[in-house]
Amino acid sequence: MTAGESSLTDYPRPSVAVDVAVLTVRRDALCVVVVPSPRGRALPGAFLHPGERLADAAHRALTTKAGITELEFHQIGMFDDPNRDERGWVLSMAHSSVVPLTRLGAAVDLVELNGTATTEPLAFDHEAMVTSAVEDVRQRYGRAVDPSLLLGPTFTLLELRRLYEVLYDKPFPKDTFRRHVADAVVGTGATSTTGGGRPAELYRRQSGAVLPEAASAFFRS
Amino acid sequence: MTAGESSLTDYPRPSVAVDVAVLTVRRDALCVVVVPSPRGRALPGAFLHPGERLADAAHRALTTKAGITELEFHQIGMFDDPNRDERGWVLSMAHSSVVPLTRLGAAVDLVELNGTATTEPLAFDHEAMVTSAVEDVRQRYGRAVDPSLLLGPTFTLLELRRLYEVLYDKPFPKDTFRRHVADAVVGTGATSTTGGGRPAELYRRQSGAVLPEAASAFFRS
DNA sequence: CTAATAGTGTCTCTGAGACACTATTTG
DNA sequence: CAAATAGTGTCTCAGAGACACTATTAG
């Protein structure tokens, strides 16, 4: 870029940070991980270190701030309002991540969501980041069956449907839901013992399976 | 973010740049605007100035490098390989934009695309940016009828279909195409004089119209 | 008239969505 | 047995896609 422009040292440079909206499901409610900050609860974040990639900084933020390791995230967008941080000029790349509750330490603090919004204010522009993160997760879950492994390696279709109902904040009829995801999962012979009623078969994700376009439209109805 | 971490001045900061893939259509071929650079042809770009927003820097890059004004762009993603620019540590936010050929000065240099790839190499990681830009444009054109106004305020359905065939790099049957976009355009009474055959009616975009999910799937077939 | 292009009636087939039925467990 | 949940046969209706027909111009 910028061929022939001023050299790299001519201008003050911004600090570049990463923030990660880690989403999870607790008691049938979508939640986001928050950490304490001087300005109130905030998403875990970190400044980009020299030579570091954004993904590595995001990883570092999660490890040091929330004790979360080995998880995937996606770029949501750069938040670049020059006044978004009173401490100075700080750009922040927002990331989204999804992780099962069991992978989070018991000490992690969660804020519940209502649809795509948080139920309480967050610091900086982090509420907007969370909203974008939920949209991103919905898109990803519309293309594949639970790609972030919120459920374990195997699951019943009821568990899968309940998960999608939480993520999309709306109910789905069981038979239509089943037929939309049927080609992207494969039944193990095993069954789940739920207690009441006929045991449900356990399914696993079909590797490489992509949900049809219609499934994504169905989830959004 | 980053509450309680080191202060803002502890670390060296990266330079932050913007690059813009300006797409247009010339003689039924999708093209991207390039400018000369020491490393070969590159996308127009600029370094982010203090207090500036990324969108403003992108705007400035287009004005000063390519003489293009008043156009919209979208964030594609941050390219953050520490070694992507030999001059130093430079992050770049890639943007996509679409503009009719008539809005570009005659002096602007274009490189044709073949599908989502350039037909010749570009500097830095700009080829990847172009590919992402085309994907982004396809998504946006799948949600609305020519939202970037590549065609004028009115157009025939043949012109519209030809445009979509260029963008998606595939032919569309005329009747099915028509029915997919029919609810998102509205006929003016006027007709276009093409020369041969029955004159085609001129349509305009229906304000606020959104293409159905099925249309997007159809374009991708 | 023919040639050329625009636009549409209509058929078929797929598949989404809904209803209700069957299947398999516990108590 | 009844109750509860899992899974499916099947009907209906909407609509995508294709074919062919009609419509409107030029020459």
Side-chain angles (χ1 to χ4, degrees), chain A residues 1-8 11-19 36-38 42-55 60 65 75 77-78 80-82 84-85 87-93 124 126 213 216-217 220, chain B residues 1-8 11-19 36-38 42-55 60 65 75 77-78 80-82 84-85 87-93 124 126 213 216-217 220:
Chain A
M1 78 297 317
T2 65
E5 203 191 338
S6 47
S7 85
L8 295 188
Y11 292 106
R13 303 175 181 186
S15 293
V16 174
V18 295
D19 289 299
S37 96
L43 300 181
F47 285 108
L48 187 64
H49 288 187
E52 191 178 43
R53 299 200 64 142
L54 291 165
R60 182 167 51 78
K65 295 279 177 63
Q75 280 186 12
M78 186 63 105
D80 66 340
D81 186 331
R84 58 180 293 282
D85 190 324
R87 293 171 296 178
W89 189 23
V90 181
L91 306 181
S92 182
M93 177 60 77
F124 306 107
H126 289 186
E213 291 265 349
S216 177
R220 264 169 245 285
Chain B
M1 78 299 317
T2 65
E5 204 191 337
S6 47
S7 86
L8 295 188
Y11 292 106
R13 302 174 182 186
S15 293
V16 174
V18 296
D19 289 299
S37 96
L43 300 181
F47 285 108
L48 187 64
H49 288 187
E52 192 178 41
R53 300 201 63 143
L54 291 165
R60 182 166 51 77
K65 294 281 178 60
Q75 280 186 11
M78 185 63 104
D80 66 340
D81 186 330
R84 58 179 294 280
D85 191 323
R87 293 171 294 180
W89 188 24
V90 181
L91 306 182
S92 182
M93 177 61 76
F124 306 107
H126 289 186
E213 292 266 347
S216 178
R220 264 168 244 287

Side-chain angles (χ1 to χ4, degrees), chain A residues 150-164:
Chain A
L150 274 177
L151 303 176
T154 65
F155 45 84
T156 67
L157 292 187
L158 176 59
E159 291 166 344
L160 185 65
R161 180 161 54 91
R162 292 258 189 272
L163 170 61
Y164 274 75

Side-chain angles (χ1 to χ4, degrees), chain B residues 138-146 160-161 164-165 167-172 176-178 180-181 211-221:
Chain B
R138 287 182 181 177
Q139 275 199 5
R140 285 177 25 240
Y141 271 69
R143 286 192 290 266
V145 171
D146 186 26
L160 186 64
R161 179 160 55 91
Y164 273 74
E165 288 176 342
L167 288 181
Y168 288 87
D169 198 28
K170 62 199 300 296
F172 297 120
T176 304
F177 180 85
R178 166 184 293 268
H180 271 290
V181 303
L211 289 170
E213 292 266 347
S216 178
F218 165 68
F219 296 146
R220 264 168 244 287
S221 78

